[in-house]
Amino acid sequence: MLRNIASVGGLTLLSRVVGFGRDLLLAAILGAGPVADAFLVAFRLPNHFRAIFGEGALNAAFVPTFAQLKAEEGLESANRFGDQVFTLMFLVQLALLAVAVVFMPWLVALLAPGLDEDPLRYPLAVELTRITFPYLLLITLVTQLSAALNAIGRFAAAAAAPILLNLAMILALIGAAAFPTAGHAAAFGVVASGLLQFLFVSGDALRSGVMPVFALPRFDAGVKRFFKALAPATIGGASVQIALFADTILASYLPTGAIASLYYADRINQLPVGIIGIAAGTVLLSEMSRRIAKGDEAGAKHAQNRAIEITLIVGVPCVVAFLVVPDAIMRGLFVRGAFTAEDAGRAAAALAAYGAGLLAFVTLRSFVSGFQSRGDTTTPMIAALVAVAVNVGFKIALTGPLQHVGLAVGTSVGAWVNILVLIAVALKRGLFRPDRALLLALAKLAALAALLTIALAASDAFLAARDVAAPLRLGALVAVAAVLYGGGVLLLFGRAILRMFRAPG
């Protein structure tokens, strides 16, 4: 399992590195001005709907059902189920696209009402969102193909596909002079990437024998089970997106640049979330579904403990860095071109607020997988609904006094509420038990985090006092963290990690 997590995480890291190049171009060309705000609204809206109808919900419902049908009736039966779901998803997304394109001015006004009376940002956001919205149809189909591949233990193509999004946007931005604005270039890059990702993942699905074809949907036992799981998973995904919609809505009332500041902070926050949190959750859902289908409950729980352990090992230094040196991170990465030191300061404050919730963000998928692999999508839905109520309440209360930072604080508080509810329910039902190795790892990581906090704070103060250039300052801090934390992990966890790589299955 750890090999698969490392594979997915490595490809995700490559995607994020290329994505960082994309964001450097966005920051340098668009800055944090009105065109950036309009494009980021256009980029967020199809991604919000993708997260509701595609990525989270479809995976949660599809993978356990596909795995069970494959275990009980063979791959042919599982593929027939995949054909029906593929056809239904295509028809639903096609209808949604048609409605959205027609009613786009009202949709943008509903989800970013603060732009409604802005003579520049509102019409541009409507125009750019019409361009980007077909991406939703394409990426939903990619998500199902990825889920089928994950269910048979193939993860590489799905993990590599997002690289194409970043490459397509980079190429489009390089050729921005050929478009009305750089925002238009980025928007066309988004939709082109959807087609590229579909073709790329389709190739692996064809080679693996799980490429779906259009088929007349029949509501047999597999499809009924899928929809039974899909409904609460969709509601759960929708509740999370409500919190993100709240970000867009509330930020649209803040001064120009607030949306962009949140975006760049969240991009850094999403590095560990994607590299290890989502990677571990994706592999764990498939691993636990397979083990549970075979009746190996003990093996499923062991896999969950190890996924949480490796997730925490990677996540802890990021938490320390985001809380202790956020300004050095944002200045070192983004201050160039149209992105100013003042913009970096605003984004750094948001990054610190996101950092407070990072451990919850990175481990959330591993706890959710424990329920979804058993066909329970209702409990994660309830936890998400509770969390989003708290999340939005904090955002409404804090946006006034803290501006955009209040939105990030609300997101972090909501993440902690979500994961604590899941842990409490899992412990009560006996679905999760932290084993001795996990508890010992927590103690070791707490000690390493304390040492890293002291080292980074002292090093940053030393470098700032000597007015070291921002990129060099950041590079020095990364070196300090790599030597101290990396050495500590090798000393305290080296043998355990090797055992996880060598463990069968």
Side-chain angles (χ1 to χ4, degrees), residues 403-465:
Q403 298 287 289
H404 67 288
V405 178
L407 298 176
V409 171
T411 299
S412 291
V413 171
W416 278 114
V417 170
N418 197 342
I419 200 166
L420 290 174
V421 170
L422 290 173
I423 291 173
V425 174
L427 288 171
K428 183 177 180 180
R429 296 181 185 174
L431 303 179
F432 168 70
R433 284 289 182 272
D435 58 20
R436 183 178 180 276
L438 180 57
L439 294 174
L440 184 59
L442 289 172
K444 293 176 181 178
L445 289 171
L448 283 177
L451 288 174
L452 185 59
T453 297
I454 295 169
L456 283 183
S459 300
D460 190 47
F462 176 83
L463 295 167

Side-chain angles (χ1 to χ4, degrees), residues 354-409:
Y354 283 132
L358 184 58
L359 285 186
F361 295 140
V362 296
T363 56
L364 181 60
R365 288 284 288 267
S366 292
F367 284 102
V368 169
S369 294
F371 292 94
Q372 292 177 343
S373 60
R374 295 175 171 90
D376 178 7
T377 53
T378 301
T379 300
M381 175 197 73
I382 294 171
L385 289 172
V386 172
V388 79
V390 175
N391 182 328
V392 175
F394 268 82
K395 285 175 177 175
I396 292 171
L398 296 178
T399 300
L402 298 181
Q403 298 287 289
H404 67 288
V405 178
L407 298 176
V409 171

